[in-house]
């Protein structure tokens, strides 16, 4: 049996490798919580059954919380109590720590399993979207990652709802932004607005390959060095977006971004690279251009 120091050395090695290399992620990742039960054996060989939660999900895996040490490549069984489905998964590695324990990236062994009951968009469709949102059908409560162009994103921002065809209802239905937790909430609780009402789109005159349109929505920026902040977009295109911040981001650095963003709703984070930076007319405020990185080239597990 491996000693404690050897186990932690292996985990640290996996974390470093995960942060520095580019893995081939195959679907969007959604920051939505699901209650789960995990069955397996920990690094000490002790069998366990823990009730915990997934804090981020994708079509082929996710990120879960466990208050115990698991070695990379360990197989576990995950039961999603919200959907009643279970799947066998392998532990990709530890991806951080929280107050309740360790975060682990997991990957399902069966690529056809749909543990979360979410319909994920195909990568080619997802890469071309101006924004991606997890929506829920008001009739049958089906969930799916929806790719929106700029006009559709503005409709959702202004009305907090959008009409789309539902594959389960076989009809056009009303869809709302899905809540951040899969645990049923009090229907009387009013959902928060995603962001400020966006300004009418204006034509952007520049030499970019993708036309940029003015769309002001809340955006969450996550940077390894500078942490997390909530700010606003200035404009967006299929190739990326611009935002303003008082923080000093380094040109060429990678970050995670979600927009439209709301803390009470499920948010989809994409990976982007700071392409350019310039100081705006407002003192101490910088304007940053972010180039989206295709999902197949993003860095991170699952």
């Amino acid at each position: 049996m491996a000693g404690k120091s050897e186990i932690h050395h292996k985990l640290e090695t996996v974390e470093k490798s995960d942060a520095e290399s580019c893995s081939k992620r195959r679907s969007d990742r959604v920051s939505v919580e699901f209650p789960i039960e995990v069955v397996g054996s920990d690094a000490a060989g002790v069998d366990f059954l823990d009730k915990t939660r997934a804090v981020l999900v994708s079509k082929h895996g996710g990120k879960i919380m466990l208050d115990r040490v698991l070695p990379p490549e360990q197989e576990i069984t995950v039961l999603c109590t919200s959907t009643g489905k279970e799947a066998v998964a392998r532990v990709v590695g530890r991806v951080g720590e929280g107050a309740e324990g360790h975060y682990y990236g997991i990957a399902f062994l069966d690529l056809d399993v749909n543990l979360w009951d979410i319909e994920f968009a195909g990568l080619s469709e997802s890469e071309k979207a101006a924004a991606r949102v997890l929506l829920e059908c008001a009739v049958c409560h089906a969930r799916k990652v929806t790719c929106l162009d700029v006009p559709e994103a503005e409709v959702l921002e202004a009305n907090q709802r959008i009409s789309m065809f539902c594959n389960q209802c076989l009809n056009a239905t009303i869809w709302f932004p899905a809540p951040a937790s899969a645990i049923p909430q009090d229907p009387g609780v009013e959902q928060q607005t995603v962001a400020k009402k966006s300004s009418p789109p204006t034509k952007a005159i520049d030499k970019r390959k993708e036309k940029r349109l003015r769309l002001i929505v809340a955006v969450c920026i996550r940077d390894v060095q500078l942490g997390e902040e909530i700010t606003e977009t200035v404009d967006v295109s299929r190739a990326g977006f611009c935002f303003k911040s008082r923080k000093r981001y380094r040109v060429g650095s990678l970050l995670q971004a979600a927009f439209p963003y709301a803390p009470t709703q499920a948010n989809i984070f994409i990976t982007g690279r700071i392409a350019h930076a310039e100081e705006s007319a407002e003192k101490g405020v910088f304007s940053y251009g972010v180039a989206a990185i295709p999902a197949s080239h993003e860095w991170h597990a699952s």
Side-chain angles (χ1 to χ4, degrees):
M1 181 177 69
K4 185 176 181 180
S5 60
E6 181 182 351
I7 293 170
H8 281 282
H9 174 70
K10 290 181 178 179
L11 291 174
E12 290 170 0
T13 301
V14 170
E15 288 178 345
K16 183 178 180 181
S17 174
D18 183 50
E20 294 179 347
S21 64
C22 293
S23 62
K24 295 183 178 180
R25 192 172 61 80
R26 294 159 291 183
S27 73
D28 285 312
R29 291 165 293 176
V30 183
S31 60
V32 57
E33 291 195 358
F34 280 91
I36 60 174
E37 294 182 2
V38 181
V39 179
S41 299
D42 60 22
V46 178
D47 295 336
F48 67 89
L49 191 164
D50 287 351
K51 293 184 178 181
T52 180
R53 70 187 193 279
V55 297
L56 184 150
V57 303
S58 70
K59 183 177 182 179
H60 300 297
K63 183 167 73 172
I64 66 173
M65 164 67 73
L66 279 175
D67 186 19
R68 61 180 68 245
V69 177
L70 297 182
E73 302 303 321
Q74 175 73 32
E75 290 190 7
I76 57 176
T77 299
V78 181
L79 169 67
C80 179
T81 56
S82 291
T83 64
K85 297 181 178 181
E86 68 175 42
V88 178
R90 68 178 179 87
V91 177
V92 178
R94 190 175 63 173
V95 292
E97 294 187 13
E100 301 174 41
H102 308 285
Y103 290 110
Y104 292 96
I106 63 171
F108 302 138
L109 299 187
D110 182 358
L111 299 183
D112 294 325
V113 70
N114 188 4
L115 185 69
W116 317 116
D117 264 353
I118 293 176
E119 181 183 338
F120 288 89
L123 289 184
S124 58
E125 177 187 0
S126 184
E127 290 167 4
K128 296 178 180 179
R132 288 174 283 182
V133 187
L134 181 65
L135 298 180
E136 183 173 307
C137 175
V139 178
C140 69
H141 303 291
R143 291 184 170 194
K144 69 176 179 178
V145 174
T146 306
C147 300
L148 304 176
D149 57 23
V150 172
E152 290 171 334
E154 289 186 327
V155 169
L156 183 63
E157 285 297 311
N159 303 291
Q160 287 299 287
R161 66 187 66 190
I162 193 168
S163 177
M164 297 190 309
F165 185 84
C166 177
N167 291 328
Q168 293 194 27
C169 297
L170 298 178
N171 201 351
T173 60
I174 299 298
W175 293 70
F176 298 92
S181 174
I183 302 173
Q185 299 179 347
D186 184 352
V189 178
E190 183 178 356
Q191 292 185 343
Q192 295 183 3
T193 301
V194 173
K196 295 180 180 179
K197 185 176 180 180
S198 55
S199 302
T202 59
K203 293 185 178 180
I205 303 176
D206 55 26
K207 296 182 180 179
R208 297 184 178 94
K209 293 181 180 180
E210 296 287 351
K211 183 169 63 175
R212 306 184 73 90
L213 298 178
R214 182 173 175 80
L215 180 65
I216 302 176
V217 298
V219 58
C220 178
I221 304 294
R222 290 177 178 173
D223 181 87
V224 174
Q225 301 297 328
L226 301 180
E228 180 176 297
E229 71 166 318
I230 310 300
T231 179
E232 292 180 343
T233 60
V234 177
D235 55 43
V236 301
S237 74
R238 289 183 175 182
F241 66 95
C242 288
F243 72 97
K244 289 185 178 181
S245 173
R246 293 185 179 275
K247 293 185 177 182
R248 292 181 178 269
Y249 293 93
R250 179 175 57 84
V251 174
S253 62
L254 297 178
L255 52 75
Q256 298 283 318
F259 67 93
Y261 175 82
T264 59
Q265 296 168 0
N267 297 280
I268 301 171
F269 284 84
I270 63 171
T271 298
R273 177 178 286 106
I274 298 291
H276 64 83
E278 60 183 27
E279 191 165 5
S280 66
E282 185 179 352
K283 186 177 180 180
V285 177
F286 296 86
S287 177
Y288 296 97
V290 178
I293 296 177
S296 58
H297 298 146
E298 290 187 23
W299 59 311
H300 218 285
S302 76

